[in-house]
Amino acid sequence: MTDSFKGKVALVTGAGRGIGRATAVGLAAGGAAVALVARSVDELAETADLVRQQGGSALVVPADLGDDEQLDRATGRVRDEFGAVDILVNNAGVVWPLEPTATVDPATWAVAMKINVVAPVTLTIAFLPGMIDRGWGRVVNVSTGIVANPTGMIGGNAYITTKSALEAHTVNLARELEGTGVTANVYRPGMVDTAMPGWIRAQAPERVGAALHQRFVRSHAEGMLITPEHSAGSLLARLAADDRTGQIWDVSDTA
């Protein structure tokens, strides 16, 4: 994958850890300059160090994507420092709220929609015109395999709904962009050993649902989780070699 992204500028959300960090480092290893967006300044600084160790240029952009003003500032900062963005990886997301819909706080549900759907769409709208003008661009929206089985995560209605919406947006956008040189694809990263499943395992079973809690505890105990680097490697291989659009890439499929 050496030089696969040479001369490109990438923006990765959720870049402070997990799949986002591994993706950012891989893009840098391939020659890209990378804008790193996440909430934690300390985690972003660690990712930036890893990017620079690959010889890449890193821009640290702390932002809570659920906050409109912070999202706008982050977009402006990337434009000011890097100008155009060629590769947009919308990886940031939240799994909460995890509870019965009858008791969920509507405001919390709305924030999940903002982070998981509105923020990726906002960033896409911000940088898409430049991609179209240059005749090349890549938009990847990170989803979840559970979208293929919506009843497999009872109590996670917000997560299932928002990720399903993100996939529908991506596939529709891909058709709209046909012939422009810009592709839009979904990536389902698999069961990855990141903070998100760790958070679910740490919750009381009655909070997130006993069946869901048991499934996440068992998958961890039985070694079913893959590393962020494994999942990011699959995504990067597709970014480097697959010019198709409107695809739902899955880590379990052959690139």
Side-chain angles (χ1 to χ4, degrees), residues 67-179:
D67 184 294
D68 291 339
E69 290 186 3
Q70 292 189 44
L71 179 56
D72 287 345
R73 284 199 300 270
T75 302
R77 176 95 187 282
V78 174
R79 279 206 185 100
D80 290 344
E81 296 290 335
F82 281 158
V85 167
D86 303 295
I87 301 168
L88 173 61
V89 181
N90 287 308
N91 166 72
V94 295
V95 70
W96 45 259
L98 286 175
E99 60 182 286
T101 302
T103 61
V104 75
D105 176 9
T108 303
W109 209 107
V111 173
M113 175 64 80
K114 182 169 285 189
I115 294 171
N116 290 357
V117 182
V118 177
V121 173
T122 300
L123 288 169
T124 300
I125 291 171
F127 295 107
L128 188 58
M131 294 180 183
I132 294 172
D133 287 345
R134 294 186 302 279
W136 197 94
R138 298 291 181 264
V139 178
V140 179
N141 289 319
V142 178
S143 182
T144 171
I146 202 70
V147 170
N149 178 28
T151 61
M153 195 173 179
I154 301 303
N157 185 268
Y159 188 59
I160 296 298
T161 302
T162 55
K163 289 300 188 179
S164 297
L166 185 63
E167 290 200 5
H169 156 74
T170 308
V171 175
N172 181 273
L173 177 64
R175 177 61 64 89
E176 178 184 326
L177 294 173
E178 284 182 354

